[in-house]
Amino acid sequence: MSDDDFNPETWVAEHGDLLYRYAYSRLRNAAAAEDAVQETFLGALKARDRFQPAASVRGWLMGILKHKLVDHLRRSARQVQLEDEEAKRLLESPLMRYSGIPT
């Protein structure tokens, strides 16, 4: 592999569309897919000294993206769980019991 193959300045142009399409196909949310791709490029820049020259840049970036997607899905699951617990506490609160609103 030449040094040109591992040039961070070309990553967006060469791999951005593929990464975005993959992220969008998993998340079905344009903003979340864009965020995941941006986090991928940021993570790749931070970890570029750990890149193995025998690997392809595209495959390496896809691996990072897949980890970012897992992180996103875990955060989303926690957020929904917290919102459910908060709603349950609100419904069981004295304010709701004495408000006359059926729960």
Side-chain angles (χ1 to χ4, degrees):
M1 172 174 49
S2 71
D3 289 339
D4 292 338
D5 292 337
F6 192 75
N7 182 356
E9 293 179 15
T10 65
W11 290 350
V12 173
E14 292 179 8
H15 309 291
D17 288 342
L18 173 76
L19 296 172
Y20 174 79
R21 286 192 309 269
Y22 184 83
Y24 184 81
S25 74
R26 299 304 188 260
L27 301 175
R28 294 290 180 206
N29 179 303
E34 288 174 11
D35 288 347
V37 171
Q38 287 176 359
E39 290 175 20
T40 297
F41 288 132
L42 222 65
L45 282 172
K46 290 178 183 177
R48 66 179 172 234
D49 59 326
R50 290 182 270 155
F51 177 74
Q52 299 296 318
S56 76
V57 174
R58 179 168 285 181
W60 181 63
L61 291 171
M62 284 294 284
I64 294 170
L65 174 62
K66 289 176 182 179
H67 284 95
K68 298 297 180 185
L69 294 176
V70 168
D71 292 344
H72 171 82
L73 294 171
R74 284 182 181 149
R75 279 191 310 268
S76 296
R78 268 184 274 163
Q79 183 177 8
V80 168
Q81 182 180 5
L82 289 175
E83 289 171 359
D84 289 346
E85 289 173 11
E86 186 177 339
K88 183 179 177 186
R89 279 194 303 274
L90 178 63
L91 289 173
E92 294 172 349
S93 71
L95 178 64
M96 288 300 288
R97 280 194 301 240
Y98 299 111
S99 68
I101 301 171
T103 56

